[in-house]
Amino acid sequence: MLLIGSHVNYNSKEQLLGATRDAISFGATTFMFYTGAPQNTVRTNIDEELTRKSWDLMKEKGIDINKVIVHAPYIINLANTEKLEFGIDFLKKELKRVEILGIKYMVLHPGSHVGLGREVGLNNIIKGLNEVLKDSNVTILLETMAGKGTELGTSVDEIKYLIDNTIYNDKIGICLDTCHLNDAGYNMNDFDKLLDEIDEKIGLKYVGCIHINDSKNEINSHKDRHENIGYGTIGFKTLIDIIYNKRLENIPKILETPYIDKKPPYKEEIENIKLKEFKNKVK
Ligand code: FE
Ligand code: FE
Ligand code: ZN
């Protein structure tokens, strides 16, 4: 079964049940969400009954909770020495919440070195990962980044360095983001070449999620501006080829494309992907 979904909203009132319903309304077979506002630390308690109802609904609709993804809040920056302690603390709390929700994977932006240099930044991230993974049952998927500002994790080699140096590397993996990879300089028309490199250097089994986004910018632009599927420089056909690549069959694919007139484009984009046809024009 094609594992396709999008980013959905999780609000304090409906929690996982609201997120699940949103995903179903888009025709999705999986989904991703933040457990609260990504830019602050305000979190509400997880309601047991709502959680149980969401699990039931997922079961009824054939959504495998083992493929559902949480995205870590982006205020966490493990690469910055000054923010490391806060990051570790907050990430530990988030991982607990993810576990209570019954979810196995959390995507994390490795971090930005903010002028400290790549090596210092990468080693801070490793310190942070070792600390949070110690007593976690959730796997952290490191997202490949576009290289905007001082972002780290912009190449297969940097992701490899992080994974190789983390003690608990059975609880770590990779999240590929097509917009970020394009902006970082990887050619999305030759995805198999990238997969070969990952397989050789790290192992393809480490890939746990793929963010499917078109890009507003040219390859190697280091910008990170997502575009709707078929409207950017990567293009519809190339993204379809990635989504249906046999080597990525069991990996959840998540859309993080921009809203149009304050409305999510996901129902239409998911339908186009299922049809492999650029039928619904979302703008
Ligand atoms: Fe992300
Ligand atoms: Fe992403
Ligand atoms: Zn992005």
Side-chain angles (χ1 to χ4, degrees), residues 230-262:
Y231 290 87
T233 58
I234 302 174
F236 188 77
K237 163 120 195 355
T238 301
L239 290 168
I240 288 291
D241 286 346
I242 295 168
I243 293 165
Y244 287 94
N245 188 314
K246 275 271 174 286
R247 300 161 83 182
L248 306 171
E249 213 169 4
N250 295 313
I251 299 166
K253 319 217 170 48
I254 304 290
L255 302 166
E256 303 173 297
T257 50
Y259 276 37
I260 296 156
D261 299 328
K262 292 183 178 148

Tab-separated table of all heavy atoms in Angstrom, residues 230-262:
chain	number	residue	atom	x	y	z
A	230	GLY	N	4.446	19.920	-8.229
A	230	GLY	CA	4.244	20.208	-9.644
A	230	GLY	C	4.413	21.680	-10.005
A	230	GLY	O	4.369	22.048	-11.174
A	231	TYR	N	4.631	22.528	-9.022
A	231	TYR	CA	4.757	23.965	-9.270
A	231	TYR	C	6.183	24.478	-9.106
A	231	TYR	O	6.436	25.670	-9.229
A	231	TYR	CB	3.820	24.754	-8.344
A	231	TYR	CG	2.359	24.574	-8.702
A	231	TYR	CD1	1.629	23.502	-8.187
A	231	TYR	CD2	1.726	25.446	-9.577
A	231	TYR	CE1	0.297	23.311	-8.522
A	231	TYR	CE2	0.395	25.274	-9.919
A	231	TYR	CZ	-0.311	24.200	-9.391
A	231	TYR	OH	-1.625	24.022	-9.735
A	232	GLY	N	7.092	23.598	-8.787
A	232	GLY	CA	8.450	24.063	-8.495
A	232	GLY	C	9.493	23.553	-9.453
A	232	GLY	O	9.180	23.074	-10.548
A	233	THR	N	10.748	23.649	-9.041
A	233	THR	CA	11.868	23.299	-9.910
A	233	THR	C	12.106	21.781	-9.973
A	233	THR	O	12.797	21.310	-10.861
A	233	THR	CB	13.169	23.971	-9.416
A	233	THR	OG1	13.407	23.543	-8.065
A	233	THR	CG2	13.053	25.489	-9.441
A	234	ILE	N	11.538	21.031	-9.040
A	234	ILE	CA	11.714	19.569	-9.089
A	234	ILE	C	10.704	18.970	-10.061
A	234	ILE	O	11.053	18.172	-10.926
A	234	ILE	CB	11.583	18.936	-7.676
A	234	ILE	CG1	12.622	19.557	-6.719
A	234	ILE	CG2	11.763	17.419	-7.750
A	234	ILE	CD1	12.480	19.118	-5.262
A	235	GLY	N	9.455	19.354	-9.918
A	235	GLY	CA	8.444	18.957	-10.890
A	235	GLY	C	7.659	17.709	-10.516
A	235	GLY	O	8.123	16.874	-9.727
A	236	PHE	N	6.466	17.602	-11.096
A	236	PHE	CA	5.529	16.531	-10.758
A	236	PHE	C	6.089	15.143	-11.059
A	236	PHE	O	6.094	14.254	-10.217
A	236	PHE	CB	4.204	16.753	-11.505
A	236	PHE	CG	3.114	15.819	-11.079
A	236	PHE	CD1	2.437	16.020	-9.883
A	236	PHE	CD2	2.758	14.730	-11.863
A	236	PHE	CE1	1.435	15.153	-9.472
A	236	PHE	CE2	1.753	13.859	-11.462
A	236	PHE	CZ	1.090	14.071	-10.268
A	237	LYS	N	6.595	14.971	-12.271
A	237	LYS	CA	7.032	13.646	-12.717
A	237	LYS	C	8.173	13.110	-11.853
A	237	LYS	O	8.171	11.943	-11.442
A	237	LYS	CB	7.442	13.721	-14.202
A	237	LYS	CG	8.274	12.557	-14.680
A	237	LYS	CD	7.636	11.795	-15.799
A	237	LYS	CE	8.229	10.427	-16.083
A	237	LYS	NZ	9.415	9.993	-15.361
A	238	THR	N	9.135	13.989	-11.565
A	238	THR	CA	10.286	13.577	-10.745
A	238	THR	C	9.828	13.168	-9.348
A	238	THR	O	10.296	12.158	-8.797
A	238	THR	CB	11.300	14.730	-10.664
A	238	THR	OG1	11.707	15.056	-11.995
A	238	THR	CG2	12.520	14.366	-9.845
A	239	LEU	N	8.910	13.923	-8.763
A	239	LEU	CA	8.419	13.588	-7.425
A	239	LEU	C	7.623	12.289	-7.438
A	239	LEU	O	7.745	11.474	-6.513
A	239	LEU	CB	7.595	14.752	-6.856
A	239	LEU	CG	8.441	15.998	-6.504
A	239	LEU	CD1	7.560	17.206	-6.236
A	239	LEU	CD2	9.352	15.727	-5.303
A	240	ILE	N	6.848	12.065	-8.493
A	240	ILE	CA	6.109	10.792	-8.622
A	240	ILE	C	7.087	9.618	-8.681
A	240	ILE	O	6.892	8.590	-8.020
A	240	ILE	CB	5.199	10.810	-9.893
A	240	ILE	CG1	4.011	11.748	-9.676
A	240	ILE	CG2	4.721	9.411	-10.279
A	240	ILE	CD1	2.986	11.292	-8.658
A	241	ASP	N	8.154	9.784	-9.451
A	241	ASP	CA	9.155	8.713	-9.551
A	241	ASP	C	9.765	8.393	-8.186
A	241	ASP	O	10.029	7.232	-7.868
A	241	ASP	CB	10.263	9.094	-10.543
A	241	ASP	CG	9.781	9.019	-11.988
A	241	ASP	OD1	8.702	8.432	-12.228
A	241	ASP	OD2	10.479	9.552	-12.876
A	242	ILE	N	10.002	9.421	-7.379
A	242	ILE	CA	10.571	9.205	-6.040
A	242	ILE	C	9.545	8.481	-5.153
A	242	ILE	O	9.855	7.498	-4.484
A	242	ILE	CB	11.009	10.548	-5.406
A	242	ILE	CG1	12.159	11.167	-6.212
A	242	ILE	CG2	11.393	10.360	-3.933
A	242	ILE	CD1	12.495	12.608	-5.861
A	243	ILE	N	8.305	8.965	-5.192
A	243	ILE	CA	7.246	8.377	-4.353
A	243	ILE	C	7.046	6.899	-4.676
A	243	ILE	O	6.840	6.082	-3.782
A	243	ILE	CB	5.920	9.165	-4.535
A	243	ILE	CG1	6.064	10.582	-3.960
A	243	ILE	CG2	4.736	8.429	-3.896
A	243	ILE	CD1	4.980	11.557	-4.400
A	244	TYR	N	7.120	6.552	-5.951
A	244	TYR	CA	6.857	5.169	-6.366
A	244	TYR	C	8.139	4.347	-6.551
A	244	TYR	O	8.087	3.231	-7.075
A	244	TYR	CB	6.010	5.145	-7.647
A	244	TYR	CG	4.566	5.528	-7.378
A	244	TYR	CD1	4.132	6.845	-7.531
A	244	TYR	CD2	3.639	4.579	-6.946
A	244	TYR	CE1	2.819	7.214	-7.268
A	244	TYR	CE2	2.326	4.930	-6.685
A	244	TYR	CZ	1.920	6.257	-6.843
A	244	TYR	OH	0.618	6.598	-6.573
A	245	ASN	N	9.274	4.882	-6.122
A	245	ASN	CA	10.521	4.118	-6.198
A	245	ASN	C	10.390	2.854	-5.342
A	245	ASN	O	10.087	2.923	-4.153
A	245	ASN	CB	11.691	4.993	-5.701
A	245	ASN	CG	13.044	4.339	-5.919
A	245	ASN	OD1	13.246	3.162	-5.627
A	245	ASN	ND2	13.978	5.118	-6.443
A	246	LYS	N	10.613	1.705	-5.967
A	246	LYS	CA	10.427	0.411	-5.301
A	246	LYS	C	11.256	0.263	-4.019
A	246	LYS	O	10.867	-0.432	-3.076
A	246	LYS	CB	10.815	-0.729	-6.261
A	246	LYS	CG	9.677	-1.148	-7.186
A	246	LYS	CD	8.822	-2.247	-6.542
A	246	LYS	CE	7.579	-2.601	-7.346
A	246	LYS	NZ	6.507	-1.595	-7.268
A	247	ARG	N	12.411	0.929	-4.000
A	247	ARG	CA	13.297	0.806	-2.828
A	247	ARG	C	12.752	1.559	-1.617
A	247	ARG	O	13.256	1.415	-0.510
A	247	ARG	CB	14.688	1.348	-3.185
A	247	ARG	CG	15.336	0.599	-4.327
A	247	ARG	CD	16.446	1.415	-4.953
A	247	ARG	NE	17.712	1.293	-4.235
A	247	ARG	CZ	18.811	1.956	-4.583
A	247	ARG	NH1	18.805	2.758	-5.621
A	247	ARG	NH2	19.927	1.801	-3.889
A	248	LEU	N	11.730	2.375	-1.834
A	248	LEU	CA	11.202	3.206	-0.746
A	248	LEU	C	9.762	2.841	-0.396
A	248	LEU	O	9.044	3.602	0.249
A	248	LEU	CB	11.259	4.688	-1.167
A	248	LEU	CG	12.621	5.186	-1.637
A	248	LEU	CD1	12.498	6.579	-2.236
A	248	LEU	CD2	13.611	5.189	-0.478
A	249	GLU	N	9.367	1.633	-0.824
A	249	GLU	CA	7.969	1.229	-0.753
A	249	GLU	C	7.350	1.345	0.648
A	249	GLU	O	6.232	1.821	0.791
A	249	GLU	CB	7.834	-0.211	-1.263
A	249	GLU	CG	6.521	-0.443	-1.961
A	249	GLU	CD	6.494	-1.777	-2.699
A	249	GLU	OE1	7.469	-2.559	-2.600
A	249	GLU	OE2	5.478	-2.022	-3.369
A	250	ASN	N	8.073	0.913	1.672
A	250	ASN	CA	7.460	0.867	3.008
A	250	ASN	C	7.748	2.090	3.863
A	250	ASN	O	7.520	2.080	5.072
A	250	ASN	CB	7.920	-0.394	3.729
A	250	ASN	CG	7.414	-1.629	3.025
A	250	ASN	OD1	6.233	-1.713	2.676
A	250	ASN	ND2	8.302	-2.569	2.763
A	251	ILE	N	8.248	3.130	3.222
A	251	ILE	CA	8.615	4.336	3.964
A	251	ILE	C	7.517	5.395	3.805
A	251	ILE	O	7.086	5.676	2.687
A	251	ILE	CB	9.971	4.868	3.452
A	251	ILE	CG1	11.050	3.798	3.681
A	251	ILE	CG2	10.339	6.180	4.125
A	251	ILE	CD1	12.321	4.046	2.937
A	252	PRO	N	7.035	5.957	4.928
A	252	PRO	CA	5.994	6.973	4.814
A	252	PRO	C	6.474	8.229	4.089
A	252	PRO	O	7.591	8.691	4.319
A	252	PRO	CB	5.638	7.286	6.274
A	252	PRO	CG	6.736	6.731	7.102
A	252	PRO	CD	7.368	5.629	6.326
A	253	LYS	N	5.625	8.759	3.210
A	253	LYS	CA	5.930	9.968	2.440
A	253	LYS	C	4.976	11.066	2.885
A	253	LYS	O	3.757	10.880	2.873
A	253	LYS	CB	5.757	9.677	0.959
A	253	LYS	CG	6.324	8.282	0.632
A	253	LYS	CD	6.963	8.030	-0.519
A	253	LYS	CE	7.678	6.696	-0.620
A	253	LYS	NZ	6.989	5.465	-0.239
A	254	ILE	N	5.552	12.160	3.290
A	254	ILE	CA	4.780	13.229	3.928
A	254	ILE	C	4.913	14.546	3.159
A	254	ILE	O	6.026	15.029	2.928
A	254	ILE	CB	5.286	13.451	5.383
A	254	ILE	CG1	5.219	12.159	6.208
A	254	ILE	CG2	4.528	14.594	6.051
A	254	ILE	CD1	3.837	11.671	6.553
A	255	LEU	N	3.766	15.135	2.806
A	255	LEU	CA	3.760	16.437	2.134
A	255	LEU	C	3.841	17.556	3.166
A	255	LEU	O	3.139	17.528	4.171
A	255	LEU	CB	2.461	16.616	1.335
A	255	LEU	CG	2.155	15.559	0.269
A	255	LEU	CD1	0.696	15.680	-0.166
A	255	LEU	CD2	3.073	15.733	-0.925
A	256	GLU	N	4.694	18.530	2.884
A	256	GLU	CA	4.793	19.732	3.725
A	256	GLU	C	4.717	20.949	2.817
A	256	GLU	O	5.459	21.910	2.971
A	256	GLU	CB	6.130	19.778	4.455
A	256	GLU	CG	6.458	18.603	5.323
A	256	GLU	CD	7.889	18.708	5.850
A	256	GLU	OE1	8.833	18.690	5.047
A	256	GLU	OE2	8.039	18.825	7.075
A	257	THR	N	3.828	20.863	1.847
A	257	THR	CA	3.708	21.934	0.856
A	257	THR	C	2.882	23.084	1.435
A	257	THR	O	2.102	22.880	2.357
A	257	THR	CB	3.041	21.372	-0.417
A	257	THR	OG1	1.852	20.667	-0.018
A	257	THR	CG2	3.959	20.405	-1.137
A	258	PRO	N	3.075	24.296	0.899
A	258	PRO	CA	2.405	25.462	1.496
A	258	PRO	C	0.882	25.471	1.322
A	258	PRO	O	0.360	24.955	0.325
A	258	PRO	CB	3.025	26.659	0.756
A	258	PRO	CG	4.003	26.127	-0.208
A	258	PRO	CD	4.022	24.652	-0.156
A	259	TYR	N	0.209	26.052	2.310
A	259	TYR	CA	-1.227	26.295	2.225
A	259	TYR	C	-1.507	27.299	1.097
A	259	TYR	O	-0.656	28.130	0.778
A	259	TYR	CB	-1.746	26.893	3.544
A	259	TYR	CG	-2.073	25.881	4.612
A	259	TYR	CD1	-1.310	24.738	4.792
A	259	TYR	CD2	-3.171	26.082	5.459
A	259	TYR	CE1	-1.624	23.819	5.778
A	259	TYR	CE2	-3.485	25.176	6.455
A	259	TYR	CZ	-2.716	24.039	6.612
A	259	TYR	OH	-3.026	23.140	7.599
A	260	ILE	N	-2.702	27.201	0.526
A	260	ILE	CA	-3.108	28.156	-0.500
A	260	ILE	C	-4.367	28.861	-0.017
A	260	ILE	O	-5.357	28.198	0.326
A	260	ILE	CB	-3.336	27.427	-1.845
A	260	ILE	CG1	-1.997	26.832	-2.320
A	260	ILE	CG2	-3.883	28.385	-2.891
A	260	ILE	CD1	-2.134	25.678	-3.247
A	261	ASP	N	-4.331	30.162	0.051
A	261	ASP	CA	-5.433	30.962	0.617
A	261	ASP	C	-5.841	30.420	1.992
A	261	ASP	O	-7.025	30.227	2.276
A	261	ASP	CB	-6.662	30.977	-0.312
A	261	ASP	CG	-6.342	31.578	-1.666
A	261	ASP	OD1	-5.481	32.475	-1.719
A	261	ASP	OD2	-6.923	31.115	-2.674
A	262	LYS	N	-4.851	30.137	2.806
A	262	LYS	CA	-5.044	29.642	4.176
A	262	LYS	C	-5.676	28.257	4.246
A	262	LYS	O	-6.136	27.815	5.305
A	262	LYS	CB	-5.866	30.638	5.007
A	262	LYS	CG	-5.083	31.923	5.262
A	262	LYS	CD	-5.849	32.883	6.130
A	262	LYS	CE	-4.998	34.110	6.397
A	262	LYS	NZ	-5.776	35.321	6.548
